[in-house]
Amino acid sequence: VQLQASGGGLVQAGGSLRLSCAASGSIFSIGAMGWYRQAPGKQRELVSSVTSGGTPNYADSVKGRFTISRDNAKNTVYLQMDSLKPEDTAVYYCNGYITTGWPLGVRDYWGQGTLVTVSS
């Protein structure tokens, strides 16, 4: 199983970016999916997550600015980031709680990370 993240880049404060993360491989089902971020010198933190049924959860710091969504048919999760601030600068990692078909198992999987840089 692989999670491939894309969509990061350089944007000015107040701008927008859309991150995507597609899961592929021997997938039986996917539970919650989410986005984490890690800024230089800081610990990785949860940005947003969404259940398999579509219920979202957001960190207080991004509420009202970020929107998470998923397409279960494409095994893909998205993060629409609006009104970006310099403090949003970080490497963003996608995550999925995935049940694999072969070998049978369930655990967290992580994408490779995509860099988001917000200039002031």
Side-chain angles (χ1 to χ4, degrees):
V1 172
Q2 289 186 330
L3 271 67
Q4 183 68 43
S6 61
L10 173 63
V11 64
Q12 289 188 332
S16 299
L17 283 174
R18 189 189 192 214
L19 305 183
S20 299
C21 176
S24 62
S26 180
I27 296 171
F28 180 76
S29 64
I30 304 179
M33 301 186 80
W35 291 93
Y36 291 71
R37 67 187 180 188
Q38 187 166 18
K42 294 188 177 182
Q43 290 188 333
R44 189 175 297 189
E45 62 175 359
L46 175 66
V47 175
S48 181
S49 63
V50 59
T51 67
S52 57
T55 301
N57 176 60
Y58 298 98
D60 288 342
S61 60
V62 306
K63 281 181 180 176
R65 301 188 296 121
F66 291 9
T67 304
I68 193 169
S69 61
R70 63 189 286 172
D71 184 333
N72 290 333
K74 295 182 179 180
N75 290 334
T76 300
V77 62
Y78 306 95
L79 186 67
Q80 177 66 41
M81 304 185 294
D82 298 318
S83 302
L84 282 161
K85 304 176 180 179
E87 50 264 44
D88 294 318
T89 295
V91 177
Y92 284 70
Y93 298 90
C94 60
N95 167 273
Y97 191 66
I98 298 174
T99 300
T100 54
W102 186 262
L104 185 64
V106 55
R107 68 173 179 89
D108 279 318
Y109 287 84
W110 292 88
Q112 83 283 8
T114 184
L115 177 62
V116 172
T117 304
V118 184
S119 62
S120 57

